[in-house]
Amino acid sequence: MRTVLSNKETQQLQHIAIIMDGNGRWAAKRGMPRSFGHKKGAERVKEVVQAAGELGVKYLTLYAFSTENWQRSPDEVNDLMDLLRQYLKSELSELQKNGVRIVFIGEREMLPADIRSSMRRLEDDTKNNAKMTVCIALSYGSRQEILQAVRKIATLAKRGDIKPEEIDDKMFSDMLYTQEIPDPDLVIRTSGEQRLSNYLLWQVAYAEFYFSEVLWPDFDRAELEKIIENFNKRERRYGKA
Ligand code: FPP
């Protein structure tokens, strides 16, 4: 199997975060309802998880549903929740076979109870898989994530458990939903939009960005390989000369 990451490059590109955008436009171009685009999009998730694993990516974070997405029509929210339900129920054997650990980030309390318990089960059943971690951002908003971290730290400081001068990068990162996940090296947004949309604002401080014109339901292994090759040519200096 072809791998586009050499050992050296694998160390550099550990974590890819994707904003899967363009499902609605993909469906509209075919005269179909938005739900059709989301269904195709969910199929792409499976293919891209597998391809990323084969290419040696250790962490893949996918923006499946943002806190802002709750404002879409009730029908569309229901369609997305149904797709997630199906995904959570159907994927376990595939994920086990491929050594994939699943974790979720986001405001779980806002999700339906049955989805929350499927999420817990999937996290638990895959927790010992070590080949790759897929992190699904569900009901996720980065500002909300940062605010809950600030509240936790303020509470600790008020109780006298920590001193304000002890608050550093590491402590703050540990209070985020992504606490045990390294920061993304590369953020990909599909569909030609060039926005971050409240995604991993703290975590992407030194990430590289790639905006792909491809709509998410058309995104495939070839496009992922092309993007990784582009990333490998970049020089990351982290602010140093
Ligand atoms: C953006 O397209 C996509 C979403 C809001 C949802 C992403 C969800 C999936 C790919 C399917 C379910 C996920 C999993 C993990 C099974 P859009 O609707 O904003 O498209 P548009 O910008 O063209 O309208």
Side-chain angles (χ1 to χ4, degrees), residues 33-92:
R34 296 176 61 79
S35 58
F36 184 66
H38 293 317
K39 189 161 173 286
K40 284 285 165 195
E43 288 166 17
R44 287 303 172 173
V45 168
K46 299 178 196 187
E47 191 182 321
V48 171
V49 166
Q50 179 159 7
E54 288 169 4
L55 292 168
V57 174
K58 290 304 256 180
Y59 295 87
L60 181 69
T61 298
L62 301 170
Y63 209 174
F65 194 86
S66 72
T67 41
E68 291 73 24
N69 287 154
W70 289 113
Q71 289 156 32
R72 294 196 176 188
S73 75
D75 276 355
E76 184 167 354
V77 170
N78 281 337
D79 286 338
L80 282 165
M81 291 299 139
D82 280 345
L83 270 178
L84 284 162
R85 254 185 209 103
Q86 279 170 31
Y87 181 86
L88 298 174
K89 291 220 165 76
S90 66
E91 280 311 279
L92 181 62

Side-chain angles (χ1 to χ4, degrees), residues 2-229:
R2 195 160 93 84
T3 300
V4 290
L5 306 175
S6 70
N7 281 340
K8 183 174 149 276
E9 287 157 353
T10 308
Q11 278 172 34
Q12 217 191 357
L13 180 50
Q14 247 202 124
H15 184 177
I16 300 180
I18 306 183
I19 302 176
M20 308 179 286
D21 198 6
N23 294 347
R25 275 163 285 162
W26 185 90
K29 269 169 62 177
R30 287 160 180 78
M32 298 295 279
R34 296 176 61 79
S35 58
F36 184 66
H38 293 317
K39 189 161 173 286
K40 284 285 165 195
E43 288 166 17
R44 287 303 172 173
V45 168
K46 299 178 196 187
E47 191 182 321
V48 171
V49 166
Q50 179 159 7
E54 288 169 4
L55 292 168
V57 174
K58 290 304 256 180
Y59 295 87
L60 181 69
T61 298
L62 301 170
Y63 209 174
F65 194 86
S66 72
T67 41
E68 291 73 24
N69 287 154
W70 289 113
Q71 289 156 32
R72 294 196 176 188
S73 75
D75 276 355
E76 184 167 354
V77 170
N78 281 337
D79 286 338
L80 282 165
M81 291 299 139
D82 280 345
L83 270 178
L84 284 162
R85 254 185 209 103
Q86 279 170 31
Y87 181 86
L88 298 174
K89 291 220 165 76
S90 66
E91 280 311 279
L92 181 62
S93 64
E94 197 66 17
L95 296 168
Q96 299 289 38
K97 198 173 80 197
N98 294 322
V100 176
R101 175 174 72 124
I102 291 272
V103 296
F104 294 94
I105 55 171
E107 291 183 39
R108 295 184 189 222
E109 320 75 63
M110 298 181 69
L111 292 158
D114 68 306
I115 291 191
R116 287 202 314 262
S117 68
S118 296
M119 287 159 64
R120 268 196 304 274
R121 209 171 316 126
L122 203 53
E123 282 179 324
D124 207 44
D125 289 346
T126 62
K127 67 170 184 268
N128 295 321
N129 293 345
K131 184 161 176 259
M132 175 193 188
T133 297
V134 172
C135 173
I136 302 183
L138 246 187
S139 188
Y140 174 84
S142 186
R143 285 190 171 180
Q144 293 83 338
E145 176 186 37
I146 289 170
L147 285 173
Q148 65 79 39
V150 170
R151 279 186 214 110
K152 275 193 220 162
I153 291 179
T155 306
L156 290 173
K158 193 172 164 203
R159 282 209 310 246
D161 293 344
I162 56 166
K163 297 196 187 79
E165 57 273 23
E166 287 169 353
I167 302 167
D168 59 7
D169 257 41
K170 165 88 174 67
M171 185 189 291
F172 194 77
S173 295
D174 285 348
M175 300 286 176
L176 298 173
Y177 300 138
T178 48
Q179 46 182 259
E180 32 100 35
I181 296 173
D183 288 343
D185 303 294
L186 170 65
V187 177
I188 300 170
R189 184 172 189 142
T190 61
S191 88
E193 303 292 336
Q194 303 193 359
R195 285 187 295 279
L196 209 40
S197 300
N198 206 12
Y199 193 43
L200 304 170
L201 300 177
W202 168 273
Q203 296 89 338
V204 299
Y206 287 100
E208 298 288 323
F209 288 80
Y210 190 100
F211 299 102
S212 165
E213 292 299 321
V214 174
L215 301 175
W216 177 253
D218 289 329
F219 193 90
D220 59 7
R221 184 189 173 110
E223 180 69 4
L224 183 64
E225 288 189 10
K226 189 179 97 187
I227 295 171
I228 292 175
E229 274 163 17

